[in-house]
Amino acid sequence: MTMTRDGADGACAPAHDRHDHAAVAAVFRALADPARLTIVHALEDGELRVTDLVTRVGLAQSTTSAHLGVLREAGLVAPRAEGRATYYRLTTTALLALVQRAEELLDDGLHAVVHAHGEA
């Protein structure tokens, strides 16, 4: 178990006490679908209407809306109603940085490991 110095007295505390692993896992679960990652990339340049996202993702409106619901529940996207249209936007640019870091892992050779694991 990793230990970290905690406070002025130098006492050690488990490193996992500093992190909300359940919340981090929820974010990764929300991103664990290629269609949702496509939605995140589509929203990279700003908010879009659901109908625009349907076109970009290539899924039915109901399926796209369900994916948006997962992302919204995780706090990763936020809706804005305008008339009969609903626009979605990313809630933080940190999300794009996270996805980019995951893509860098693939560039660093994780791609072969991921695909080898998926074939097993």
Side-chain angles (χ1 to χ4, degrees):
M1 177 186 321
T2 304
M3 303 296 277
T4 61
R5 295 283 175 203
D6 186 23
D9 65 357
C12 289
H16 68 273
D17 287 348
R18 299 183 351 220
H19 306 285
D20 186 347
H21 291 130
V24 172
V27 168
F28 283 118
R29 275 192 304 276
L31 294 172
D33 186 283
R36 291 194 286 272
L37 289 169
T38 302
I39 290 170
V40 168
H41 278 289
L43 294 172
E44 186 171 12
D45 293 326
E47 67 179 14
L48 290 170
R49 296 177 307 162
V50 172
T51 56
D52 297 327
L53 287 167
V54 166
T55 301
R56 290 197 186 191
V57 178
L59 298 173
Q61 195 262 326
S62 59
T63 304
T64 302
S65 292
H67 284 302
L68 285 165
V70 171
L71 293 169
R72 186 179 65 238
E73 190 172 306
L76 302 175
V77 299
R80 177 180 66 83
E82 184 175 299
R84 296 185 62 166
T86 302
Y87 289 80
Y88 278 87
R89 65 173 174 79
L90 299 178
T91 58
T92 176
T93 57
L95 176 56
L96 295 171
L98 174 65
V99 172
Q100 182 178 4
R101 294 304 171 269
E103 291 167 345
E104 288 172 4
L105 285 172
L106 296 177
D107 291 343
D108 288 345
L110 184 64
H111 193 267
V113 174
V114 170
H115 284 284
H117 178 61
E119 294 169 0

